[in-house]
Amino acid sequence: MELTRRERSKLGALGVAVVVGIVFITVRVALDETASAGGPPERSAIDTSLAERPEQAIHLDPHVLSDNGSDVLLAMPYKLDMYYGYGGVLGGNDVVVAATGYPLPTADLGSGTGVGPVTLVGVDTADGSPLWKTIVGRVSACSDTVESVVIACWSDRRIVFVDTSDGTLLSDIGTEFDVMNVRFVDDNVYVVGNSDRSPILTRGTATDISADYLRTFPASDDLAYVAPLPEFGIAMTTYRGSGGAQYTSTVHDLDTDAERFVYEGDSLQALSKDLFVSTVGIQSGSAGTQNLLDGHGELIRAIPIPSAVVGGYPSLPSTPVPAFAGDGAYDAVTGAELWRNPLMVEGTFAKESAVVAVVGRTVVVADPEGRTIVGLDVDTGEQRWLTPWQDAYWVRGGLTDGEYFVFGDYTGTHALRVRDGAIMWSLPLPDGADPRVVQVGPGGGHVLVSSATQFTIWT
């Protein structure tokens, strides 16, 4: 039985924590799809050319990264307070960050064992040796992407900030609320938290997290959270709905906190600062009914072929691109339909986005049924090329240099030339690795291939 992309993502998350756009707050899985009216942000993009097959492989050894021979590699960036028998590393464009710790003899690996103080390690991609080591104490998670040179790690009511260029501990801040997530955008630090069932949002700096503001939203006895989307200039609160609606979402102006509109339904996703997708009637095997809403929550049009949206794909477009929803492309400001192509979605019943990368002027989609990878023109939706690919149902993750899209599948790591769809080189799977949990992404400007227990940088 073939797995859907969502099922594959869930399975991979069990054993791997290499982050290529994975987010901590579930609402952002689709919310972060498009950075502005100009299209998706650059994501998983590197400056190093991917034209040639990398030859030098550097294997990250936790015994080399740690001063304590009993330390283990933790599942960076999450679950840093527990060890389940596998690890992970955080690969950014310019740095690879690992986390090590000593597992306490309190439980077996089936239920996890507690971990003592955590040490962050900056990894030299030339030889796999540690560039710096910084003790951050007991923390439960760290930032899931290296959006800034600074990374944050936190426990319930404490945040530490570390400069990933040299390992300097910039600050160690106590909070009066439980920390849920920390995100960097430009020079701003956004902290999401909860206090007595009330969502909290702050904006500030690595030394003063509420320098600009600390906002407290109404409390709820049920699910309630806030998601900042600074790339759109908004924040969105979501509460468990009452009556027929599953959730009630409110869109706020990020700077003024002014309310823009309220939506009741099963989900609300931002495609740009002026365009939203609303969903009603999500059921097993069905994406429900989806509509495009403008920046004030007014209906623009129905989406003919609704689908679940999977964000976080590698993106380095050479021109502003439209917003994608279902099988179509839409003007990111007006919501006008630009083109539709059935290859934009996959699945017979529960349809999902088939987009796996946007590079240059090409939208790369995977067609599991046709066993192909297809390049679509970003302006017209017309097919530019078609590459037969047996494992098209497993294409995932990856990185790009603007000319090549490097991705993983069930057989290894492969480089696709985006202008014509030619496969230029391949790397084998790591020896003995379970292909279901192998991930491919950027690591210090190179190709990082990770499984549950093996981490290799190809240069």
Side-chain angles (χ1 to χ4, degrees), residues 93-108:
N93 294 343
D94 301 313
V95 67
V96 171
V97 181
T100 64
Y102 178 74
L104 305 174
T106 56
D108 59 36

Side-chain angles (χ1 to χ4, degrees), residues 28 143 145 147-154 158-163 170-171 173 175 177 179-193 200-215 228-230 254-255:
R28 279 189 55 206
S143 306
T145 57
E147 296 180 78
S148 166
V149 70
V150 180
I151 190 173
C153 299
W154 60 88
R158 172 176 171 262
I159 311 174
V160 294
F161 292 90
V162 175
D163 187 326
L170 299 176
S171 61
I173 299 173
T175 67
F177 57 87
V179 180
M180 297 174 60
N181 192 29
V182 181
R183 187 182 176 201
F184 295 86
V185 176
D186 298 326
D187 295 327
N188 296 313
V189 174
Y190 295 87
V191 179
V192 173
I200 302 289
L201 173 63
T202 80
R203 185 176 72 187
T205 67
T207 55
D208 185 355
I209 61 172
S210 57
D212 294 327
Y213 54 70
L214 186 155
R215 294 172 182 165
L229 298 171
L254 191 60
D255 291 327

Side-chain angles (χ1 to χ4, degrees), residues 424-449:
M424 303 306 295
W425 52 261
S426 297
L427 299 171
L429 284 171
D431 291 340
D434 183 343
R436 296 173 299 175
V437 298
V438 172
Q439 297 286 320
V440 177
H446 304 287
V447 179
L448 172 62
V449 180

Side-chain angles (χ1 to χ4, degrees), residues 244-246 263 265-267 278-290:
Q246 186 175 2
Y263 168 79
D266 289 337
S267 75
S278 66
T279 303
V280 177
I282 296 176
Q283 298 176 356
S284 177
S286 171
T289 300
Q290 292 181 315

Side-chain angles (χ1 to χ4, degrees), residues 256-269:
T256 67
D257 199 30
E259 181 181 301
R260 287 178 54 176
F261 68 89
V262 178
Y263 168 79
E264 294 185 350
D266 289 337
S267 75
L268 182 67
Q269 306 167 1

